[in-house]
Structure formats: C-alpha cells, structure tokens
Amino acid sequence: MFDGDTGRPAVSDATVTATVLDAARRNALRGGGRPAMVGPGRELGYSRFSVVVPAAAAGLARHGVRPGDVGAIHLADACDTALAVHAVSAAGAIPAPLPPHSSARELAQMLNESRARFLMTGSGEEAVLALAAAERSYVRQVFAFGDLPGATPFARLVDNHELRAPLPDPSPPVDLARDVALRLCDPPAQPTHAERLAELHRLAARAGVEQGDVLACCSWDCTASTWLALMNLCLIQGATFAGVAESDTEALLRDVREHGATLAVVTPDKLRALAREGDPGPGRPRLRLLVTGTADAEDVRACRARLGWTVTDLGRP
C-alpha cells in the first residue's frame, strides 16, 4: 500500500486487512525479529500476527460468524485489539470497537445500537462487565482473550492444525466503495473500506512513520478510528506500535524509554505538560510528537526549545 522507500501512498485495491496481512508477511521476513506490537509485559511479532489472524478468521467462520455480521471489540490491550479487529474483518464481518472503560449500561447500549451479533473481550473486571452487557443485547457469542466463564477462548479459534489455513473468502466479494468496514460508536460512524484506506493515506502523509520506528500511543488520546489506523500504519510500514496503558504523561514517558520510541501520540494538553514540565529522564530520547488536535504554537516552540522534539499536527482527535 505504501512505497517502501519513500513512505508515499501507493494505489491499493484490497481491503485494509488484506493489505496489512500482506505487509506483515513481508515485514516478518525482513524485520529481524522486530515486534509488530508491544504492550504491558508482552509483545506480538509480525510472523505470529500474520498466521494467527487468518487462523482466527477461519475459527470464527467455524463458530458460525458470517460475512456482514457485526462483531463488537471490547479490549484495552493493543496486541489483542490488532488480532481481534483483523480476524473479524478477515472473516468478512464488521468490527465495532467499544470504549474499553465504559459501564455495563453504556456497553449494552452500544452493543444494541451496533446490532453486534458477537463480542470479543479480554479478562478481568472489564470483561465481566462486557459479558453482563452482552446478556442485555443481540450478542449470541462471546470470545475472550483469557479465562472468562461463559466465553469461548480466542485460543480455541486458533487450533494448531488451522495455523496455515487460507484466509476465508468473504462472499459476496467486498465492494470497497460501498461495504462498511468498521462500525464506530464514539463518535458514531460507518466508514467503508475505501474510506478507511483514504484515512490511512492521509495519516501516512502526516505521521511519517518509517520502517524501524517505534510509535507510543494511548487509546485515551485519540478516537478508536485513529488508534486502529496508527496500528495499521505501523504494521504496513514495518514499525512497532507500543500501546500505552495509562493516560498520564509519566506513563507515556516511561513507555517511550522502555520501548525506545521514536514517535509518540499526544493530546494538546499532554503536549503542554511535556513542553513545560515533562522530564524525559536520563538519556533524553530523540522524539517526534504527533498531536491529535490543534497544538498551541507556544507549546510547540517550548517543546522544541527545551526538549529538541518536533511536533506534527495529526488533525482532529
């Protein structure tokens, strides 16, 4: 989808998931073991991603998921989110990402509004809330990354004998210009495959993500659409997406140091805090900040003068 040397968008007639999977396979061969995704205490390699997604898509089809079904995604972990969203899409269904820290009542409302037929979630208290919400919705199946009573483990979708299974072929064929690729709840939207590809083109031009980059990003700092698009951009370009679990600037700086991040996504408020008070610690990293909103010009100047970091405006959050 993107030129490997310049990072400029190239013409694509495939879905985002097909494009991402194709790029992930190439990056697995040339990446030298670089992880595709990292999160708190874990990482997901390009090779693992490229075989698990089609295997899980085949598993979803075996469990009755059909093209056009809506699958809600209630996950905070970046590694699990990437696997879930692309497995659902590869099965021909429509991913509907939900805010991970919503109440059971809010989740039930979003599940009903999106007409989700199945749910993919994690484990722990947030997953228990999601399971309770699913009981008050149209959801008929729940898949979980972890041990969740009443849910089918995601690992069961990925049986060993299915790891080399071909990608399910959605029928009828995908119409990039008309078929919905993503169902968003906050704010509500239903972008087509073509619109998601266009968003990737715009993001690639602004963010400048290149092979070998490490991009740190917290889901609280951007919309679900932008969060997923940044993941996809990293997967395509051979970069690493580092999911930051906590929303404060200290957590961001900690993950920047831990993962050797070269780019970080921030809100205008986080930019102000970093520019005026942020302490990157010893061995100050060379960092490019991507702001999800309109950055204050004085904050941009202060960040460059005090820390030597460049700032790029990604547009609306």
Side-chain angles (χ1 to χ4, degrees), residues 13-309:
D13 58 0
T15 65
V16 170
T17 288
T19 302
V20 166
L21 280 172
D22 183 58
R25 295 184 184 105
R26 294 196 306 271
N27 290 325
L29 295 175
R30 70 182 185 180
R34 173 180 292 276
M37 316 283 299
V38 295
R42 62 173 303 194
E43 64 179 45
L44 175 66
Y46 275 98
S47 179
R48 182 71 179 168
F49 174 86
S50 63
V51 296
V52 167
V53 166
L60 288 171
R62 291 197 307 274
H63 281 75
V65 172
R66 296 291 178 260
D69 286 350
V70 176
I73 312 293
H74 180 255
L75 293 161
D77 180 83
C79 299
D80 291 344
T81 298
L83 290 173
V85 167
H86 286 294
V88 169
S89 181
I94 302 171
L98 307 179
H101 303 294
S102 302
S103 67
R105 181 178 179 179
E106 291 168 334
L107 288 172
Q109 181 178 348
M110 288 184 282
L111 288 171
N112 285 317
E113 289 176 350
S114 66
R115 298 277 175 168
R117 303 299 294 178
F118 64 97
L119 167 69
M120 304 192 82
T121 188
S123 59
E125 293 182 5
E126 291 175 0
V128 172
L129 286 177
L131 193 61
E135 294 175 354
R136 294 153 38 196
S137 72
Y138 298 98
V139 167
R140 295 294 176 264
Q141 288 181 293
V142 179
F143 304 95
F145 289 81
D147 185 15
L148 183 66
T152 300
F154 182 86
R156 191 177 298 172
L157 301 176
V158 191
D159 296 334
N160 288 333
H161 68 279
E162 293 287 350
L163 280 178
R164 297 186 181 277
L167 191 68
D169 184 16
S171 181
V174 173
D175 185 331
L176 298 182
R178 296 184 179 181
D179 290 348
V180 173
L182 199 63
R183 186 157 291 183
L184 300 167
C185 298
D186 185 25
Q190 297 185 57
T192 65
H193 292 277
E195 288 168 338
R196 286 195 72 204
L197 289 166
E199 182 183 14
L200 265 180
H201 287 310
R202 290 191 296 269
L203 202 60
R206 285 179 175 268
V209 177
E210 300 177 351
Q211 183 180 2
D213 273 332
V214 178
L215 187 152
C217 180
C218 177
S219 62
W220 292 84
D221 293 339
C222 51
T223 63
S225 179
T226 300
W227 199 50
L228 295 177
L230 287 167
M231 287 185 192
N232 293 333
L233 184 56
C234 289
L235 287 163
I236 290 170
Q237 296 294 72
T240 298
F241 184 94
V244 180
E246 300 173 46
S247 61
D248 56 280
T249 54
E250 289 79 8
L252 175 66
L253 290 173
R254 183 177 63 246
D255 281 13
V256 163
R257 292 191 296 268
E258 179 180 349
H259 302 301
T262 53
L263 301 103
V265 176
V266 296
T267 62
D269 286 343
K270 274 189 179 177
L271 174 66
R272 180 171 298 109
L274 289 169
R276 301 179 182 182
E277 303 172 8
D279 180 9
R284 180 187 302 168
R286 296 178 61 85
L287 198 61
R288 291 128 61 198
L289 298 179
L290 307 175
V291 185
T292 57
T294 302
D296 182 86
E298 184 58 36
D299 293 335
V300 173
R301 286 192 292 269
C303 193
R304 289 173 175 169
R306 198 172 75 84
L307 301 172
W309 294 346

